[in-house]
Amino acid sequence: MNKNLYHVLGVNKDATEAEIKSAYRKLARKYHPDLNKDNKEAAEKFKEVSCAYDILGDKEKRKKYDNNEIDSDGKPTGFGAGMGGGYGSYGTYEGNPFQGGFSGGDFDFSSIFGSDIFSQFTGSRGGFQGGFGGASRRPRKGDDIAYTMRIDFLAAARGDEKTVNINGKNINVKIPAGTLDGQTLRLKGLGQPSPNGGSAGDVLITLNVDKHPYFSAEGSNILMELPITIKEAVLGAKVTVPTISGKVAVNIPPYASSGEKLRLKGKGMKTKSVAGDQIITLKIVAPGKADAALEKALREMPDETVRNF
């Protein structure tokens, strides 16, 4: 069927070269096969607008088309039609997307997609080489594989190594010290193979860190709340506390208050760039059962004002 190429591109017959080029750019982006996977209708539409631009984007071809010397398929009309000269039959003139490559009137596809994106799915900067089958496209990177892994708090804080099975293949995953909940590790080249000889995709592992009974993380610092007795708070004491690297002794100063903080330098998470601290928040805890002697001693204490409101 002989189509109106100006209607195909959505422009008027008196459209300028710039208007035709602009219209084609929009349609090529919209219907490009690599942006419309397994969409036959989009692929056909892309061929249609590409063929239209191949004629209207070329001054000489457009002139012949406007003078009815060639039709919308590029075939000669009237005298000489079918004689094998000139443009010949559909599918053989230079720039046809079905044979010999589509030049698009030397159209620069990178102006539509950007050179980085374009290089992933086309064989050259100027357009398709070898038609829409992609036989001469540059190799495309394989697809990435997304994977989620649960790890315990200490493994994330201190660093660890885990083995996971992805697509039937065991992969050793090194978890760096100081990993926080929700971080993603990228294992390059361990994803899906390329469909046409390019590099393999990556494996993206999102780490979900389990909560710890008494530790939590704030940047590279480890936070914990330390319960102390009233006696320890008033008289001071030396107590043993856990850290992510083992137990250490800590001095509780006399007359300590709930909410007071102690800092253990270098006892936090150690990353390549920094060593965090462990920050201990004191929490005074009343006895779990009645203590007559304590009650008597407290009653005998003079009243003291600790509030300023």
Side-chain angles (χ1 to χ4, degrees):
M1 182 177 179
N2 200 19
K3 299 178 180 179
N4 186 312
L5 299 185
Y6 292 100
H7 292 173
V8 171
L9 294 183
V11 297
N12 295 324
K13 189 173 182 179
D14 59 355
T16 64
E17 292 181 27
E19 289 172 335
I20 290 175
K21 187 173 185 178
S22 177
Y24 174 64
R25 287 178 60 185
K26 293 178 182 178
L27 294 172
R29 171 180 281 276
K30 179 178 180 180
Y31 295 114
H32 195 282
D34 281 79
L35 302 181
N36 297 273
K37 298 292 187 182
D38 301 321
N39 187 332
K40 294 182 179 179
E41 184 177 345
E44 288 301 319
K45 193 69 176 176
F46 183 76
K47 294 176 186 178
E48 184 179 56
V49 299
S50 296
C51 290
Y53 182 73
D54 190 67
I55 293 176
L56 298 185
D58 182 285
K59 288 184 179 180
E60 291 301 317
K61 294 180 185 177
R62 182 181 180 183
K63 183 178 179 181
K64 290 179 180 292
Y65 176 72
D66 289 344
N67 292 333
N68 292 320
E69 296 177 39
I70 59 173
D71 62 15
S72 60
D73 291 333
K75 299 177 184 178
T77 60
F79 179 77
M83 298 295 291
Y87 290 93
S89 60
Y90 177 64
T92 60
Y93 65 86
E94 182 183 0
N96 174 16
F98 303 102
Q99 184 171 337
F102 172 64
S103 67
D106 294 325
F107 188 82
D108 184 357
F109 271 83
S110 66
S111 65
I112 299 177
F113 300 101
S115 58
D116 290 340
I117 297 177
F118 180 74
S119 66
Q120 296 178 16
F121 54 72
T122 186
S124 73
R125 188 174 177 86
F128 281 93
Q129 303 297 315
F132 288 91
S136 300
R137 293 177 182 175
R138 290 182 183 175
R140 287 182 56 190
K141 180 183 175 184
D143 291 335
D144 293 337
I145 297 175
Y147 187 85
T148 300
M149 178 192 299
R150 297 203 67 85
I151 57 173
D152 64 66
F153 184 91
L154 292 179
R158 296 187 299 218
D160 203 353
E161 187 168 329
K162 302 285 187 182
T163 300
V164 297
N165 188 285
I166 298 177
N167 283 359
K169 181 179 180 181
N170 288 331
I171 299 175
N172 291 326
V173 181
K174 291 185 178 180
I175 300 168
T179 295
L180 301 178
D181 184 52
Q183 281 190 233
T184 298
L185 303 180
R186 180 182 291 272
L187 307 182
K188 294 188 71 64
L190 297 181
Q192 299 289 10
S194 167
N196 61 348
S199 60
D202 304 331
V203 172
L204 305 177
I205 300 181
T206 300
L207 300 173
N208 293 334
V209 180
D210 290 330
K211 293 185 179 300
H212 194 273
Y214 38 86
F215 291 137
S216 62
E218 185 179 76
S220 60
N221 293 331
I222 295 293
L223 310 181
M224 74 165 289
E225 191 175 70
L226 177 63
I228 59 174
T229 66
I230 294 176
K231 181 179 180 180
E232 290 171 333
V234 174
L235 301 180
K238 179 178 281 190
V239 300
T240 299
V241 299
T243 71
I244 62 172
S245 56
K247 294 181 178 181
V248 298
V250 173
N251 289 318
I252 308 298
Y255 295 96
S257 300
S258 276
E260 193 170 333
K261 297 184 188 307
L262 307 177
R263 183 181 293 269
L264 304 181
K265 296 289 290 182
K267 290 298 182 180
M269 295 186 285
K270 295 177 175 62
T271 67
K272 291 182 178 180
S273 58
V274 66
D277 303 329
Q278 179 163 317
I279 301 172
I280 299 171
T281 301
L282 301 179
K283 179 183 179 183
I284 299 174
V285 179
K289 58 182 180 179
D291 187 325
L294 176 61
E295 292 175 17
K296 182 176 182 296
L298 292 175
R299 289 192 184 98
E300 293 174 352
M301 288 178 60
D303 292 336
E304 183 180 1
T305 298
V306 295
R307 293 170 289 276
N308 57 6
F309 51 83

